[in-house]
Amino acid sequence: MQKSARTGLAATASALLLAVAAGCSSDDGDSGSTASEGGGSLVLITPTPIGSNNFLALARDGAEAAGAANDATVDVYESTDPASIQQNIDAAVRDGVDIVIGVSFSVQDQFSTSAVDNPDQQFLLIDACPQEQPENLTCAVFREHESNYLAGVEAGLLTQTGAVGAVAALDDPFIHRWIDPFFAGAQSVNPAVTTSVQYVGGENPFGDTPRAKAQAEIVAGSGADHINAAASGGNPGVFEAAAENGVFAFGVDTNQCPEQPGTIVDNSIKRVDVALESAVEEILGGDAGGNKSYGLAEDGVGLTGLQEGVEDSGCLIADHPDVLEQVAAVRDQIVAGDIVVEDPVAAG
């Protein structure tokens, strides 16, 4: 299976010329079509270069696995800004690939518009979905509230102060999937637990590390000794504040424990690779469109602590096998439907 990685266009004269000719530049010199004779073709478009971004790396892994499973070639177009996102989409559409795949809300607007403009092209959007969804745009989303409930159970069992908190980017129903279930999980095993939350806000709520740190210091000052970090790119600020104040934190999306050794208990993770591979298989099999949801039952979300290799994860939860045993039991109850975790988005 042929595979190439492409990056978004730089704002230079030569890059603009390339944009007119092909829509994107190639890392490995392969500027031809991604399609292979007799096989399918997939293009994954990221909002930023993958680099050390574990979330985007998982999407790439999922695309590669989907290509291998379906005898399809895979190209990865790494964008640098909103303009290059659109240029990369346009290039993929011109190449006539089977599925154009985007990851994160950062590409949602471009994917929604492009799907309307190109009704014969199949699009797949991972971890986001527009309110008005075109028929040729499949969304793969996650039930993050389920895994955050499990993280809350851990916090409720581990807290020494009887207080837990959260630092979130915005006061938004979707972001509350990292707040309300976390608190509910903690109180399910420790009803006396008190809670507090602070929001980053400002002009850059998803990437303001200093502001996120300041909000975490407020939460720690309120007595919370376990803080759920839901500030996206601002999470390192939450982890730093937790370390400096002698409290603990939880990461999100991928294993963030190595970022602040000795401080991060566990992570509410999204298996972007699992969701992407599954959705691609369904689309290629004729089940395109609609909203595909991945939770604990589908192994689309979970905890680092419940994965194999937790002892090498750098997460503090590895030192608490008794807690993990209880959390695994709660997970099984959610999967079986015996426990229903309320979704803040559905609740409005």
Side-chain angles (χ1 to χ4, degrees):
M1 178 176 56
Q2 178 186 8
K3 170 176 170 270
S4 66
R6 303 187 182 187
T7 60
L9 295 153
T12 64
S14 59
L16 289 173
L17 289 173
L18 285 172
V20 173
C24 58
S25 62
S26 173
D27 282 344
D28 58 10
D30 178 10
S31 58
S33 170
T34 62
S36 63
E37 185 177 352
S41 53
L42 311 172
V43 165
L44 171 67
I45 297 173
T46 66
T48 59
I50 294 174
S52 60
N53 187 317
N54 291 337
F55 187 75
L56 297 181
L58 276 177
R60 178 191 59 206
D61 293 346
E64 292 175 353
N70 295 281
D71 191 27
T73 60
V74 178
D75 284 344
V76 180
Y77 295 5
E78 300 179 65
S79 310
T80 57
D81 53 36
S84 65
I85 291 172
Q86 188 61 58
Q87 290 164 352
N88 285 332
I89 294 174
D90 293 342
V93 171
R94 283 196 302 271
D95 282 346
V97 302
D98 289 299
I99 309 175
V100 183
I101 307 166
V103 58
S104 94
F105 64 88
S106 299
V107 304
Q108 176 176 292
D109 290 345
Q110 293 93 332
F111 265 69
S112 180
T113 300
S114 296
V116 171
D117 293 342
N118 301 277
D120 296 328
Q121 172 68 59
Q122 288 297 326
F123 294 86
L124 170 60
L125 185 56
I126 305 292
D127 200 29
C129 198
Q131 194 166 20
E132 296 183 9
Q133 184 181 350
E135 291 184 1
N136 58 323
L137 173 62
T138 302
C139 294
V141 297
F142 300 89
R143 299 195 297 276
E144 299 95 344
H145 49 293
E146 294 180 352
S147 55
N148 279 286
Y149 184 91
L150 295 182
V153 170
E154 290 181 341
L157 292 171
L158 293 170
T159 180
Q160 296 296 307
T161 65
V164 303
V167 174
L170 292 171
D171 185 2
D172 175 87
F174 180 73
I175 304 300
H176 271 267
R177 281 182 162 182
W178 283 263
I179 305 168
D180 301 356
F182 181 76
F183 292 163
Q187 292 174 334
S188 72
V189 294
N190 191 343
V193 162
T194 59
T195 65
S196 60
V197 59
Q198 290 290 321
Y199 301 98
V200 178
E203 296 181 357
N204 185 23
F206 293 96
D208 194 331
T209 300
R211 194 177 177 99
K213 179 179 179 180
Q215 301 309 311
E217 289 173 341
I218 294 173
V219 174
S222 73
D225 62 352
H226 286 75
I227 304 173
N228 203 23
S232 190
N235 277 3
V238 178
F239 303 150
E240 185 176 340
E244 292 177 359
N245 286 271
V247 301
F248 305 99
F250 289 80
V252 297
D253 291 346
T254 62
N255 180 16
Q256 297 190 291
C257 294
E259 295 183 23
Q260 193 74 53
T263 296
I264 304 174
V265 177
D266 207 342
N267 309 272
S268 170
I269 59 173
K270 292 181 186 177
R271 293 298 308 275
V272 180
D273 52 340
V274 170
L276 195 154
E277 182 179 359
S278 175
V280 165
E281 184 172 353
E282 291 187 30
I283 294 170
L284 293 178
D287 184 14
N291 203 318
K292 305 181 188 303
S293 177
Y294 298 86
L296 291 173
E298 299 81 12
D299 196 28
V301 300
L303 296 178
T304 301
L306 295 179
Q307 292 186 308
E308 292 184 7
V310 61
E311 61 277 0
D312 298 320
S313 68
C315 297
L316 296 179
I317 195 64
D319 298 329
H320 300 278
D322 55 330
V323 172
L324 284 175
E325 184 177 350
Q326 294 179 68
V327 172
V330 175
R331 175 201 57 196
D332 294 344
Q333 289 178 286
I334 294 173
V335 170
D338 298 329
I339 295 176
V340 177
V341 181
E342 184 174 353
D343 182 358
V345 174

